[in-house]
Amino acid sequence: MSKRAVHFGAGNIGRGFLGQLYFESGYDTTFVDVVDSVVAELTRRGSYPIRIVEEQCETVVVERVSAVNGRDLDAVGRALAAADIVSTAVGVNVLPHIAPAIARGIELRFAEASAAPLNIIVCENLIEAGPFLREKVRAHLAPGWHGALDAQVGFVEASIGRMVPVMTEAQRAEDPLLVCVEPYCDLPVDANGFVGPVPEIAHMKAMANFGAYVERKLFVHNLSHATTAYLGYLRGHEYIWQAIRDAAVRVEVEAAATESCRGLAKKHGMDLAPLEAHRDDLVRRYHNRALGDQVARVARDPLRKLGPKDRLIGAGCMCLEQGIPPEHIAFAVAAAIRYDSQDDPAAQTIHQILLDKGMEGVLWKICGLAADSPLVEFVVQGDERLHREGWKT
């Protein structure tokens, strides 16, 4: 009997990353989604293409796939009951909405006393995403099932590093199931999150010191990507590859990431050289013109990205705690606050607070920084520099 995977979210990460890994590992994959057209097309075709884009592009057809509608709790529950591995890539805000279906699957699976443990790889941009989803599922289970939830279900945190841009209209017209991705496809996961043996999945790397790796993803990758986008926006660039090739932007991106690398090395006792090598590799990947990654996609939703524990403010606070002045990170924070795209409602919300309450008001209301936080002064200085150097008039 073939191995079976269930993945929540048939979007870009689901189809463009997890689906490929499962296919390469010999799994039959069932996608769970609520977009009727996607569910119908996956069911009809049983396959879809992904395009790995760099100077020389390659198209890979992912086969042995099916789909069920996420609103059909019984159908999803049956799929989970029979699964060898489960994963999610739905977005943090959607996690509570898939919890009832996971709860239904747990009830069906563990009604059989001899059922094997169930492991759910949680591929979301949220620190402690595993415990968060576990408690959302618990709320939909009667107390009699809580023992099974805690003893037999692993919520395994993962770090998604593959970049998947928004599809263009031309690409969508070519094939509604096509996903374009970069070549990078490592999937680091928390080795301690599994119940029972760690499954063999292509490109998956189970890591014991996962907390440090999550912070590396957030405070080096996500930080440098966001810095490229926000500074690139102020310089009038449409694509990430254009922004990173702007010498003024690149210098700031590298400097902000260097501050984070130094903070992480000190906090976790990590070697600085591999962290800086990772920084350099990210900058190289941002140059990928064929990927066509848009500044607007990476900059989107600054309300979340300026959150107290997210990539910008979290990195700045971490550096301060380690005695490292976050001058360039604060410069990126100021740029994010000045991101005023008319097409981004979150940016407009911040812009209105900026008009009403000033920079300190945004830093308090959105970023959770008290007026006496040292980071406030760094950001204010960064904002002054934005104006002084002509980044934003």
Side-chain angles (χ1 to χ4, degrees):
M1 179 179 292
S2 63
K3 298 179 290 185
R4 288 168 287 195
V6 173
H7 180 79
F8 285 87
N12 287 346
I13 294 298
R15 297 202 313 275
F17 192 15
L18 276 298
Q20 177 190 357
L21 269 53
Y22 290 143
F23 175 59
E24 290 184 11
S25 305
Y27 285 82
D28 292 340
T29 303
T30 299
F31 287 100
V32 180
D33 208 286
V34 295
V35 179
D36 293 333
S37 59
V38 172
V39 171
E41 193 68 3
L42 285 170
T43 301
R44 183 183 71 83
R45 288 162 54 173
S47 65
Y48 64 89
I50 62 172
R51 184 167 298 151
I52 301 171
V53 293
E54 47 185 344
E55 289 187 9
Q56 297 295 324
C57 296
E58 175 190 5
T59 298
V60 175
V61 177
V62 175
E63 301 176 324
R64 296 165 58 185
V65 303
S66 59
V68 297
N69 195 297
R71 299 184 186 92
D72 188 341
L73 297 189
D74 286 336
V76 178
R78 289 192 296 272
L80 292 180
D84 295 289
I85 190 67
V86 176
S87 54
T88 81
V90 295
V92 173
N93 294 335
V94 180
L95 284 177
H97 299 289
I98 68 172
I102 295 175
R104 182 64 178 142
I106 288 171
E107 292 170 349
L108 292 175
R109 186 185 189 96
F110 296 110
E112 174 59 54
S114 61
L118 176 67
N119 286 300
I120 303 171
I121 303 174
V122 188
C123 305
E124 312 291 349
N125 268 326
L126 175 69
I127 292 178
E128 297 187 347
F132 175 84
L133 183 55
R134 183 187 295 276
E135 294 312 306
K136 294 299 179 184
V137 172
R138 188 186 306 277
H140 294 277
L141 288 170
W145 293 105
H146 290 181
L149 175 70
D150 292 330
Q152 296 181 271
V153 184
F155 288 83
V156 182
E157 295 181 49
S159 178
I160 301 296
R162 177 174 252 183
M163 293 184 286
V164 184
V166 175
M167 302 288 288
T168 66
E169 289 302 319
Q171 290 167 336
R172 293 180 188 277
E174 180 182 345
D175 187 328
L177 294 184
L178 174 67
V179 183
C180 295
V181 301
E182 68 164 339
Y184 181 89
C185 64
D186 285 353
L187 179 64
V189 298
D190 183 5
N192 298 320
F194 289 94
V195 177
V198 177
E200 293 186 8
I201 298 173
H203 308 292
M204 187 179 81
K205 298 182 177 180
M207 308 182 70
N209 188 21
F210 190 69
Y213 198 95
V214 168
E215 289 201 347
R216 191 192 82 159
K217 167 62 167 55
L218 191 62
F219 296 154
V220 181
H221 186 168
N222 293 144
L223 166 91
S224 61
H225 212 193
T227 301
T228 305
Y230 292 124
L231 291 175
Y233 172 81
L234 295 183
R235 298 276 284 186
H237 298 300
E238 181 179 359
Y239 294 102
I240 292 296
W241 67 265
Q242 293 171 324
I244 200 65
R245 295 181 191 205
D246 181 328
V249 173
R250 177 170 176 168
V251 165
E252 287 300 323
V253 169
E254 291 177 335
T258 296
E259 289 171 351
S260 265
C261 287
R262 292 175 59 205
L264 288 169
K266 192 170 180 181
K267 178 179 178 179
H268 294 289
M270 303 167 77
D271 289 340
L272 183 59
L275 286 167
E276 292 185 332
H278 177 59
R279 173 205 61 198
D280 294 342
D281 184 58
L282 287 166
V283 170
R284 177 193 63 79
R285 287 161 60 192
Y286 300 157
H287 278 74
N288 188 344
R289 180 173 182 166
L291 195 61
D293 204 4
Q294 302 92 338
V295 163
R297 182 194 78 84
V298 181
R300 187 173 56 221
D301 194 10
L303 277 174
R304 177 171 61 88
K305 291 168 184 172
L306 282 164
K309 296 182 179 180
D310 214 285
R311 61 211 68 194
L312 296 165
I313 302 301
C317 291
M318 182 268 296
C319 285
L320 283 171
E321 290 167 359
Q322 301 305 317
I324 295 165
E327 176 185 347
H328 298 279
I329 293 172
F331 189 66
V333 171
I337 292 172
R338 293 291 177 180
Y339 172 68
D340 59 0
S341 172
Q342 296 291 324
D343 298 324
D344 192 326
Q348 288 304 302
T349 296
I350 293 173
H351 183 63
Q352 191 59 52
I353 297 171
L354 186 62
L355 291 176
D356 295 341
K357 304 290 185 180
M359 182 64 66
E360 290 86 348
V362 175
L363 291 170
W364 172 72
K365 189 174 182 64
I366 303 301
C367 306
L369 295 177
D372 61 352
S373 168
L375 188 54
V376 169
E377 182 59 29
F378 277 106
V379 175
V380 170
Q381 291 173 0
D383 190 53
E384 292 171 351
R385 195 181 135 214
L386 282 175
H387 289 270
R388 186 171 64 251
E389 296 181 2
W391 291 79
K392 184 68 174 176
T393 57

